[in-house]
Amino acid sequence: MDLSDVAAVLQARVPELGEQMALRIRSQIDAYKDESLTPFDSLRASCTANVDLVLNHLRGTDAPDPDPSPSRETGRIRAEQGMPLADTLHAYRIGFEFLWSEILAEARTRPDVPDAELVSRSAEIWALFGLYAQTVAAAHREATTELTSQRQARRSALAEALFTGVIADRTTLRDAARELGLPERGPYAVAAAVAEAPGEEPLTGIESSLRQARLPSTWRLLPDQQIGLVALPAPAAEGVFLSVLNRARGARVGVSPCFDSLRDTPQALRFARLALAGLRHTGPGVARFDDDPLAMVVAAAPAEAAHLVEVVLRPLLDLPAAERARLLETLEHWFATSGSAKGAAGRLFVHPNTVRYRLRRIEELTGRSLSDPRAAAHIGAALLAVRNSETGRLSRMGATVRAR
């Protein structure tokens, strides 16, 4: 008698051995105790199939080369169930140890089975385990990669639907929030950051950084921008969010006002982009829409803003470059210091009378008095439009240089 006869005897117990193996695995690996993760019927079915496979191999009744398809199927199923690969491989080892102990126990009841054969076949059994473990691992990784890609594609599609307003139904919004890991109600905020090149993330690792700060978010990378929807569940959350954004090196970011309903995401994205357009310099920075509403309004209507510049500031803009720059800079500092000639002078390192002289020159050129609140508002809005157009021109020039 040899080990193939022992395998034939055990073949009659395949369903029983499969169940015992499943119970052994479940008792030793915590992840397998979760019925919602891996139902016992699924575990028992894969154990039974593997028991039958190994015993057929020992009997010599299968093909010359071992059939790894049950292991491949097990790897795929466990990946779909969310079972970690390490636990799946551990279960295989436990299963093989259990089955080999059953083979040895049956062989010991039959003295005519030589010890030499047991030794030689044990190496064969563990080589078989190595093959099956390798197959399980490969199938698990392949399925995990595919599932991850599918989840990312679905998350990306759901985020795109929120940003474009395709999702409007309340139930669908709730489902989208759940799948994206967002709360069903706000407050939320939207951010938009300039991408220097297609496929390049200006806010690398932002989702992970926000997750560490306990701020759920979802992000989309567009050819020219990276846009994100962020939940702000606590009163201090917006400050934390802005702090994370400010740590992003070299990024130019616009942030929307806070809002409560996911239905308002498209409008918030528009506000975030306006805030981004309203950044007054070409370097990195974070601009909130609420920080300068007038600048946002000017940025929202570029054609109207350009006409406002023509009507209000054209005589000033027609001056020689040096004088034009000097007057615009003085005007900007005067507004920044709440209309204080002394404050503007401190910023410009000139005498207050010099500032007053320049302001009178601006009034003469524009025909508008800065002491008139209405006229001052016109000049201030036109100045914002000029600065926005300069920022946009410099940004475009920078993009052209980078493209070369």
Side-chain angles (χ1 to χ4, degrees), residues 27-372:
S27 69
Q28 294 188 28
I29 303 177
D30 289 339
Y32 279 89
K33 296 175 183 177
D34 186 351
E35 183 74 17
S36 64
L37 189 62
T38 301
F40 185 73
D41 287 347
S42 172
L43 177 59
R44 178 173 52 200
S46 63
C47 288
T48 301
N50 281 295
V51 168
D52 191 52
L53 198 69
V54 172
L55 293 178
N56 278 331
H57 179 76
L58 289 176
R59 291 179 64 189
T61 58
D62 59 356
D65 295 323
D67 178 16
S69 57
S71 301
R72 188 177 298 112
E73 181 68 5
T74 297
R76 183 188 64 79
I77 291 173
R78 296 294 174 262
E80 291 174 350
Q81 292 171 340
M83 181 65 66
L85 177 57
D87 288 328
T88 304
L89 293 175
H90 188 193
Y92 253 76
R93 175 170 287 279
I94 291 171
F96 265 78
E97 288 173 348
F98 165 78
L99 184 56
W100 181 241
S101 68
E102 290 293 319
I103 293 170
L104 289 178
E106 183 64 32
R108 290 193 186 100
T109 66
R110 304 173 188 281
D112 48 344
V113 177
D115 289 344
E117 183 178 3
L118 290 175
V119 172
S120 65
R121 298 304 290 273
S122 68
E124 184 180 340
I125 286 291
W126 287 107
L128 201 61
F129 163 74
L131 171 65
Y132 292 162
Q134 185 178 5
T135 304
V136 164
H140 191 287
R141 292 191 186 100
E142 182 179 330
T144 298
T145 299
E146 183 177 344
L147 290 168
T148 299
S149 177
Q150 290 173 355
R151 280 194 293 268
Q152 289 175 341
R154 177 163 173 76
R155 280 177 58 86
S156 180
L158 286 172
E160 176 69 10
L162 287 176
F163 285 125
T164 57
V166 172
I167 299 179
D169 179 75
R170 182 175 179 180
T171 302
T172 311
L173 282 170
R174 185 161 50 247
D175 292 340
R178 187 180 303 113
E179 184 142 358
L180 292 170
L182 299 170
E184 294 179 18
R185 294 289 300 173
Y188 312 100
V190 167
V194 175
E196 295 295 332
E200 183 176 315
E201 292 187 0
L203 299 172
T204 305
I206 183 65
E207 191 165 359
S208 175
S209 297
L210 290 173
R211 191 183 306 114
Q212 291 175 8
R214 298 185 179 181
L215 299 181
S217 66
T218 185
W219 294 81
R220 285 269 291 141
L221 183 60
L222 307 177
D224 60 339
Q225 289 181 348
Q226 185 178 7
I227 57 177
L229 170 63
V230 185
L232 305 172
E238 185 179 15
V240 175
F241 174 41
L242 294 173
S243 176
V244 172
L245 291 178
N246 277 304
R247 288 199 297 268
R249 295 180 179 177
R252 291 173 57 79
V253 191
V255 180
S256 75
C258 295
F259 59 102
D260 289 323
S261 173
L262 288 173
R263 285 192 181 89
D264 297 329
T265 304
Q267 178 71 3
L269 175 59
R270 180 170 178 270
F271 286 149
R273 285 171 166 163
L274 288 174
L276 179 59
L279 272 172
R280 298 185 190 177
H281 50 79
T282 58
V286 177
R288 293 171 67 249
F289 185 93
D290 288 346
D291 287 341
D292 195 344
L294 180 58
M296 302 305 106
V297 171
V298 170
E304 290 79 0
H307 183 69
L308 176 66
V309 170
E310 286 294 319
V311 171
V312 176
L313 291 183
R314 174 48 57 194
L316 190 153
L317 298 180
D318 287 339
L319 294 172
E323 185 179 3
R324 178 179 67 239
R326 186 164 54 247
L327 293 181
L328 287 175
E329 184 182 27
T330 300
L331 193 56
E332 189 163 12
H333 285 293
W334 183 78
F335 275 111
T337 55
S338 303
S340 169
K342 185 177 180 180
R347 287 178 168 221
L348 292 166
F349 302 102
V350 298
H351 193 279
N353 285 339
T354 302
V355 171
R356 295 186 185 99
Y357 168 77
R358 293 176 184 176
L359 294 177
R360 286 196 297 273
R361 175 77 169 135
I362 292 169
E363 290 176 327
E364 292 170 0
L365 288 167
T366 62
R368 287 172 167 80
S369 172
L370 288 169
S371 61
D372 178 355

